Amino acid sequence: MRAANMGLLLRHLRGHGGRSRAQLASETGLSKATTSSLIADLAARGLVREGELVRGGSVGRPGQTVTLDGANVTGIGLELSVDYAALTAVSLAGTVVRESVVPLDVAHLALDVVFDRAAAYLTRAVDSLREAGAHVVGITVAPPGIIDYDTGTLRFAPNLGWRGVPLVAELSERLGPEAPPIRLENDAKLAAVAEFDRVAPQGIRDLLYLSGEVGIGAGIVADGRLVRGYSGFSGEVGHLPLDPTLTPCNCGRRGCWETIVGLTAFLRLAADPGDSLHDPKRALEDRLLTLADRARAGDERTLVALATVTERLALGLGILVDVLNPKMIVLGGYYAFFGEFILPPVQAALAERRLDEGSAIVLATSELGLISTARGGALLALEDVFTDPTVVAGAD
Amino acid sequence: MRAANMGLLLRHLRGHGGRSRAQLASETGLSKATTSSLIADLAARGLVREGELVRGGSVGRPGQTVTLDGANVTGIGLELSVDYAALTAVSLAGTVVRESVVPLDVAHLALDVVFDRAAAYLTRAVDSLREAGAHVVGITVAPPGIIDYDTGTLRFAPNLGWRGVPLVAELSERLGPEAPPIRLENDAKLAAVAEFDRVAPQGIRDLLYLSGEVGIGAGIVADGRLVRGYSGFSGEVGHLPLDPTLTPCNCGRRGCWETIVGLTAFLRLAADPGDSLHDPKRALEDRLLTLADRARAGDERTLVALATVTERLALGLGILVDVLNPKMIVLGGYYAFFGEFILPPVQAALAERRLDEGSAIVLATSELGLISTARGGALLALEDVFTDPTVVAGAD
């Protein structure tokens, strides 16, 4: 109960900003004695601090403002993509304290090598954060495929051919017993969490994120909450049956949406097999920047490829809008390199089929780019602190 | 703040069952003095009652159990469908205190006549409930079309041709100043609320309801909460582009899902134009029972119609499962008359395309039938009491 009420105070401070102990007691309904005791406990854990004097009302002693702290409490997110790994550490105070992307040819390395490299990447981050005095509360890893949440296993990675990879166990073993707890979460859901965190201050409560990589997935935030589905499988939109030409998909079916709007489909439309745009040794970002340059120069082949992808993208997004009625749609992955070509026609197509004649959907490309999933992973790891602040140990 | 804490206590009692004042104080974090004062206030409003003595712990005075009451606090739901009206009143204690369905040929009556009849139907219910001593906290009306929530207007009813009908204003005027507040909500969302209320005790938190009338809509409950979308337009799935033959739809587009799985499509497939199954003067329920009899007798035409609808139904439900990952899908409307023919093939089709190899989706037809939307409307009206119990006046 004490931990739950500490969480209540912490969430109240996050949602409403700094305020006095008397205000916190009155607004949460906790007694003043309880509130003071809990605030002292939270302060000892470095989760809140008390600052300048404020006068709570017109009479009585002025109180100190309690504000969210947590500068030394961090969460880590790690994305393992098909050809890169990204790591972000965010403090409870909201500061990104570490962020990097490294090439990692996951598709062509032995599993053990992938585990070793990912573990080394995480260990360096944890060690360095701890040396700087931080408490690392948890690690969220986003693997490039379907998760078995109960066992911490990557069940199936359609674009790698992996099946039944016990990722949490392998990483935990390599990180050792002193490591923070590790959990898995889907890349698009984490990106949605990161994008929502960015726009929530603008009053947006309903957001749809669409990843645009070899596979396509959606992350759904409804009324400020991540929609996970009953077993964590919401947003599996890459396999919607939206390709009338029934292109074979890595999932074993035909005609899946990602076979016509995914990265592989786009590159195939945009360049012939011999083109260096298909060379996996060349950094993906570099290849996409080349294509964006070609599009801006009016290259017909590139523009037709973009128009083809955009038309099918709008079709699927129209379905998602009918189902979910989001206020904002954020396009991530490779779409973010082509916003000027993709956004106007998609916006027009959505406006055309909208039943709600009210205000328009805010359509944007991701500003977080490749780092969005790792950022969301760090934010998700921090959520545990808001549920149970006692996961952060108090001062000695 | 006092009202918010009274709501907190009421929701705690709903979620956890009866308990002593001491337990309530400890579990909600409210002080004992505050808890006692709030419970006395809630009891004066008839929302809780104190019963037999219970011993809270091993020592100390035994306390009385506080339980949710509200037997005299009711919400009303009214569904105005294309050819019937349904009304339900539910008490805060969870009892259905009034429930009826009457034929109402909304499609062929003048607007004023529809308003008059609906208002009379509501007035009779409110008067009768009040005569029995009930406090009616609110009325939720589900109109057969698209709602403008800000103005309480039925913006567009594609299957009636109505546009811009100020339903709340017209009904409020007829019900008079003493009437409970009236709001509009979408039929499928309300049905989802009612179906969820029924299965939540079984531990189901993620439910998708699909209405099967002339129009098709979905109601989405995710992790126990109704997903409304940013402007209330979630679940508008009737117009998903799922008909490759591009049948014209009442919405002005072509190829919408409801043109192949809606009631009109099904009746057209199942019977020739002259057949009495198309006679709007014959009660819909009667016509559907006739068709169910034909199907059970092995009538080829009916079975082919059902198989055609079922195939397209499974296609759209597969999309909704990929997006939302519900634990349970409830099929309402006319589907509920044909469960034995529709459920097994849909279940098989969903199992086939499921990415999540975990537990299966619970697929069922609505047991509430025509009354589900009105029931959900009554439940939604009661939600206001859990947010602010002071909407119910105290005893004199």
Side-chain angles (χ1 to χ4, degrees):
Chain A
M1 201 59 217
R2 187 172 171 84
N5 281 327
M6 284 165 64
L8 176 70
L9 288 170
L10 219 48
R11 293 193 301 275
H12 194 80
L13 286 170
R14 170 168 65 173
H16 301 87
R19 51 238 296 115
S20 71
R21 289 184 182 198
Q23 277 176 290
L24 278 169
S26 140
E27 290 167 2
T28 60
L30 296 169
S31 73
K32 284 186 190 174
T34 302
T35 304
S36 282
S37 160
L38 297 177
I39 293 296
D41 193 337
L42 289 169
R45 295 173 199 273
L47 298 172
V48 303
R49 63 191 148 80
E50 296 187 274
E52 72 273 28
L53 292 180
V54 283
R55 190 169 280 279
S58 55
V59 292
R61 283 188 306 156
Q64 285 181 296
T65 310
V66 181
T67 50
L68 201 62
D69 188 3
N72 284 324
V73 175
T74 55
I76 291 180
L78 172 72
E79 183 188 13
L80 288 177
S81 190
V82 173
D83 61 358
Y84 68 87
L87 186 148
T88 298
V90 177
S91 81
L92 197 77
T95 310
V96 175
V97 292
R98 201 180 168 98
E99 193 147 80
S100 60
V101 181
V102 295
L104 184 63
D105 192 5
V106 172
H108 300 94
L109 292 173
L111 266 179
D112 269 358
V113 178
V114 173
F115 298 149
D116 288 347
R117 295 210 185 153
Y121 195 24
L122 283 170
T123 300
R124 277 198 305 279
V126 171
D127 288 351
S128 140
L129 288 162
R130 284 180 174 169
E131 275 163 29
H135 178 96
V136 183
V137 292
I139 297 171
T140 311
V141 176
I146 291 165
I147 293 165
D148 184 322
Y149 289 91
D150 292 336
T151 61
T153 300
L154 173 58
R155 190 183 288 157
F156 177 43
N159 299 308
L160 295 175
W162 293 358
R163 281 188 187 274
V165 177
L167 201 49
V168 167
E170 294 285 353
L171 290 176
S172 295
E173 192 190 319
R174 283 165 174 81
L175 264 70
E178 301 301 316
I182 301 174
R183 89 180 87 191
L184 304 184
E185 188 48 283
N186 169 274
D187 59 345
K189 286 188 185 68
L190 293 178
V193 166
E195 297 289 348
F196 174 68
D197 182 71
R198 205 175 64 77
V199 299
Q202 299 162 34
I204 286 173
R205 304 280 300 162
D206 299 270
L207 178 141
L208 176 77
Y209 173 86
L210 192 73
S211 73
E213 307 192 12
V214 174
I216 301 291
I220 303 161
V221 175
D223 197 19
R225 288 159 55 118
L226 180 66
V227 172
R228 298 186 70 255
Y230 96 92
S231 55
F233 285 86
S234 69
E236 288 293 348
V237 299
H239 306 282
L240 296 184
L242 292 178
D243 167 24
T245 67
L246 300 178
T247 309
C249 179
N250 287 333
C251 76
R253 295 186 288 207
R254 286 173 166 275
C256 296
W257 195 26
E258 67 185 41
T259 65
I260 44 171
V261 300
L263 175 62
T264 306
F266 171 63
L267 292 177
R268 195 175 49 232
L269 287 167
D272 291 320
D275 196 306
S276 74
L277 285 172
H278 294 289
D279 181 1
K281 290 196 197 70
R282 221 180 130 191
L284 178 60
E285 186 168 354
D286 179 44
R287 291 183 271 156
L288 293 174
L289 288 170
T290 300
L291 278 169
D293 284 344
R294 287 188 194 170
R296 282 186 203 107
D299 177 63
E300 186 66 15
R301 170 89 185 244
T302 312
L303 291 174
V304 168
L306 279 170
T308 305
V309 165
T310 299
E311 189 198 333
R312 290 284 149 176
L313 190 61
L315 179 69
L317 287 175
I319 287 177
L320 296 174
V321 166
D322 282 353
V323 177
L324 295 165
N325 184 219
K327 176 63 193 169
M328 182 168 190
I329 297 177
V330 178
L331 302 177
Y334 84 87
Y335 304 129
F337 289 78
F338 303 96
E340 65 202 272
F341 304 100
I342 291 176
L343 297 182
V346 170
Q347 186 89 58
L350 292 181
E352 169 119 2
R353 57 173 284 107
R354 197 149 35 92
L355 295 168
D356 165 23
E357 290 157 23
S359 58
I361 289 171
V362 180
L363 186 67
T365 49
S366 168
E367 290 182 20
L368 296 172
L370 291 184
I371 210 67
S372 60
T373 292
R375 176 85 62 95
L379 291 166
L380 191 71
L382 288 169
E383 275 307 301
D384 289 349
V385 182
F386 289 98
T387 308
D388 178 5
T390 64
V391 299
V392 180
D396 295 328
Chain B
M1 199 57 215
R2 187 169 170 86
N5 281 327
M6 283 164 63
L8 176 70
L9 287 170
L10 219 48
R11 292 194 300 277
H12 195 79
L13 286 171
R14 171 169 63 173
H16 301 86
R19 52 239 294 115
S20 70
R21 290 185 182 199
Q23 276 176 293
L24 279 170
S26 141
E27 291 167 1
T28 58
L30 296 170
S31 74
K32 284 185 189 174
T34 302
T35 303
S36 282
S37 160
L38 297 176
I39 292 296
D41 193 338
L42 289 168
R45 295 173 199 273
L47 298 172
V48 302
R49 62 190 149 81
E50 297 187 272
E52 73 274 26
L53 291 179
V54 284
R55 191 169 279 280
S58 55
V59 293
R61 281 189 305 158
Q64 285 181 297
T65 310
V66 182
T67 50
L68 201 62
D69 188 3
N72 284 324
V73 175
T74 54
I76 291 179
L78 172 72
E79 183 187 13
L80 289 177
S81 189
V82 174
D83 60 358
Y84 68 88
L87 185 148
T88 298
V90 177
S91 80
L92 197 75
T95 309
V96 175
V97 291
R98 202 180 166 96
E99 192 146 81
S100 61
V101 181
V102 296
L104 185 63
D105 192 6
V106 173
H108 301 95
L109 293 173
L111 266 179
D112 269 356
V113 178
V114 173
F115 297 149
D116 288 345
R117 297 212 183 152
Y121 196 23
L122 283 170
T123 301
R124 277 198 304 279
V126 172
D127 288 351
S128 140
L129 288 163
R130 284 179 175 168
E131 275 162 31
H135 178 96
V136 183
V137 292
I139 297 170
T140 312
V141 176
I146 291 165
I147 294 164
D148 185 323
Y149 290 91
D150 292 338
T151 61
T153 300
L154 173 57
R155 190 184 285 153
F156 176 43
N159 299 309
L160 296 174
W162 294 356
R163 281 186 187 275
V165 177
L167 202 50
V168 168
E170 294 285 354
L171 291 176
S172 295
E173 193 192 318
R174 284 166 174 78
L175 264 69
E178 302 300 317
I182 301 175
R183 89 182 84 191
L184 305 184
E185 188 48 282
N186 169 274
D187 60 345
K189 286 189 185 67
L190 293 178
V193 167
E195 298 288 350
F196 174 68
D197 183 70
R198 206 174 63 78
V199 299
Q202 299 162 32
I204 286 173
R205 305 280 301 160
D206 298 271
L207 179 143
L208 176 76
Y209 173 87
L210 191 73
S211 74
E213 307 190 13
V214 174
I216 301 293
I220 303 161
V221 174
D223 196 18
R225 289 157 56 116
L226 181 67
V227 172
R228 299 186 69 256
Y230 96 91
S231 55
F233 285 86
S234 68
E236 288 294 347
V237 299
H239 305 282
L240 296 184
L242 292 179
D243 168 23
T245 67
L246 299 179
T247 309
C249 179
N250 287 334
C251 76
R253 297 185 287 204
R254 287 174 166 273
C256 295
W257 195 27
E258 68 186 40
T259 65
I260 44 170
V261 300
L263 176 62
T264 306
F266 172 62
L267 291 177
R268 195 175 49 236
L269 286 167
D272 290 320
D275 197 306
S276 73
L277 287 171
H278 294 288
D279 182 1
K281 292 198 197 69
R282 217 180 133 193
L284 178 59
E285 187 168 352
D286 180 44
R287 290 184 270 155
L288 293 174
L289 287 171
T290 300
L291 278 169
D293 284 343
R294 288 188 191 170
R296 281 186 203 107
D299 177 63
E300 187 68 15
R301 171 89 183 245
T302 313
L303 290 173
V304 168
L306 279 169
T308 306
V309 164
T310 300
E311 190 196 334
R312 289 286 151 176
L313 190 60
L315 179 70
L317 287 175
I319 287 177
L320 296 175
V321 167
D322 282 353
V323 177
L324 295 165
N325 184 218
K327 176 62 191 169
M328 182 170 189
I329 297 177
V330 179
L331 302 178
Y334 84 87
Y335 304 130
F337 289 78
F338 304 96
E340 65 202 271
F341 304 100
I342 291 176
L343 297 182
V346 169
Q347 187 88 59
L350 292 180
E352 169 118 1
R353 58 174 284 107
R354 195 150 37 92
L355 294 168
D356 166 23
E357 291 158 22
S359 59
I361 290 171
V362 180
L363 185 66
T365 49
S366 169
E367 290 182 20
L368 296 173
L370 291 183
I371 210 69
S372 60
T373 293
R375 176 87 62 96
L379 290 167
L380 191 72
L382 286 169
E383 275 305 302
D384 289 350
V385 181
F386 290 97
T387 308
D388 178 4
T390 64
V391 298
V392 179
D396 293 330

